[in-house]
Amino acid sequence: MIRLSDQAFDPGALLSDFCRDRAEVGAVASFTGIARAEAGATTVLELEAYPGFTEAEIGRIAEQARTRFGLMDLLILHRVGRIAPGEPIVFVATAAAHRREAFEGCDYLMDYLKSRAPFWKKEHGPGGERWVEPRAEDHADIARWE
Amino acid sequence: MARVLLFGPLRDLAGWREREVAAETLAELRAVLGAEDAALAVALAQPGVQVALNQAIVRGDAALSPAAEVAFLPPMSGG
């Protein structure tokens, strides 16, 4: 399942739900991304998406991950709107028969969500506001899978 | 008539998020926007800016149907 939400969420509850009733799944991996305060420099993070297109593009990324790693299921929840430091911004969970596929599928999904999914992120703080550009590391992370 | 959407820093640069523009091709649309705002035209032509036509990425020029939706997408940053 792929979902965007402008509401705070509980990653523990999402993970518990995701693990329920899975007799054939041997492994679940998950990742939670949390908005950083950057030592007080960021007081609010603003996440913009392109409704419809963003979900479709994430769907395409998810389908690639599902095929490549043989994932039995996956969950992606991404926040949009205004996010306070300390709040979860993204949650990804993958289910597979064995741990390696679950770990790698989760890693792959996060790398693509960071710099290939249609989101734009702005940091607001006492020093003003700033759009966040993808870093060189983000592109290097993608290159690992190509 | 195309509905034009700007995202991220492009929206701040232009001072608008969405508007209607009379144009029959993407190239004409760029020219119309550029005639009003030269800085925006430069920003839209940056190699990192992708264009989605009716929610599908296109490269180069393309014809615009009367109800086309054109989105300019600067480098993406999620997670």
Side-chain angles (χ1 to χ4, degrees), chain A residues 32-88:
Chain A
T32 306
I34 295 174
R36 275 191 308 268
E38 306 284 8
T42 302
T43 50
V44 172
L45 202 57
E46 181 189 343
L47 243 300
E48 185 182 18
Y50 180 2
F53 182 71
T54 298
E55 291 93 329
E57 288 293 296
I58 296 174
R60 236 170 26 83
I61 293 167
E63 209 39 57
Q64 286 165 5
R66 198 186 286 275
T67 307
R68 179 163 177 168
F69 303 102
L71 300 178
M72 299 162 85
D73 197 9
L74 58 85
L75 170 63
I76 299 170
L77 176 56
H78 206 298
R79 284 283 301 275
V80 292
R82 296 169 75 81
I83 299 155
E87 287 183 2

Side-chain angles (χ1 to χ4, degrees), chain A residues 48 50 78 114 119-120 122 131, chain B residues 8 12 17 69 74 77-79:
Chain A
E48 185 182 18
Y50 180 2
H78 206 298
K114 284 298 281 189
F119 290 106
W120 298 275
K122 192 189 226 179
W131 287 100
Chain B
D12 283 354
R17 177 190 293 269
E69 179 176 286
S77 174

Side-chain angles (χ1 to χ4, degrees), chain B:
Chain B
M1 207 60 131
R3 185 162 157 256
V4 181
L5 306 175
L6 301 182
F7 288 91
L10 294 173
R11 179 236 303 172
D12 283 354
L13 175 72
W16 51 273
R17 177 190 293 269
E18 177 177 342
R19 55 175 283 198
E20 301 281 327
V21 176
E24 291 184 0
T25 65
L26 266 181
E28 187 188 348
L29 186 145
R30 288 177 183 276
V32 171
L33 293 176
E36 294 174 20
D37 186 340
L40 177 62
V42 170
L44 295 182
Q46 292 300 305
V49 174
Q50 300 184 83
V51 180
L53 171 56
N54 298 326
Q55 304 212 345
I57 298 289
V58 292
R59 291 181 174 76
D61 201 7
L64 303 179
S65 65
E69 179 176 286
V70 177
F72 290 94
L73 314 172
M76 298 162 178
S77 174

Side-chain angles (χ1 to χ4, degrees), chain A:
Chain A
M1 189 177 71
I2 293 160
R3 198 154 64 86
L4 305 185
S5 171
D6 60 2
Q7 302 293 314
F9 63 84
D10 174 0
L14 291 173
L15 183 57
S16 292
D17 281 348
F18 189 78
C19 290
R20 191 163 296 137
D21 300 327
R22 294 201 184 272
E24 297 305 322
V25 163
V28 167
S30 77
F31 174 86
T32 306
I34 295 174
R36 275 191 308 268
E38 306 284 8
T42 302
T43 50
V44 172
L45 202 57
E46 181 189 343
L47 243 300
E48 185 182 18
Y50 180 2
F53 182 71
T54 298
E55 291 93 329
E57 288 293 296
I58 296 174
R60 236 170 26 83
I61 293 167
E63 209 39 57
Q64 286 165 5
R66 198 186 286 275
T67 307
R68 179 163 177 168
F69 303 102
L71 300 178
M72 299 162 85
D73 197 9
L74 58 85
L75 170 63
I76 299 170
L77 176 56
H78 206 298
R79 284 283 301 275
V80 292
R82 296 169 75 81
I83 299 155
E87 287 183 2
I89 177 169
V90 60
F91 178 83
V92 172
T94 51
H98 302 285
R99 71 183 183 284
R100 188 67 55 212
E101 291 79 4
F103 277 135
E104 290 191 346
C106 192
D107 196 15
Y108 176 99
L109 286 169
M110 271 315 303
D111 282 351
Y112 280 80
L113 285 171
K114 284 298 281 189
S115 60
R116 294 289 194 276
F119 290 106
W120 298 275
K121 192 161 53 181
K122 192 189 226 179
E123 294 172 347
H124 296 261
E129 51 184 53
R130 179 182 85 87
W131 287 100
V132 179
E133 294 273 335
R135 306 164 306 153
E137 297 93 307
D138 294 330
H139 297 302
D141 286 340
I142 292 273
R144 293 189 301 143
W145 306 107
E146 289 170 350

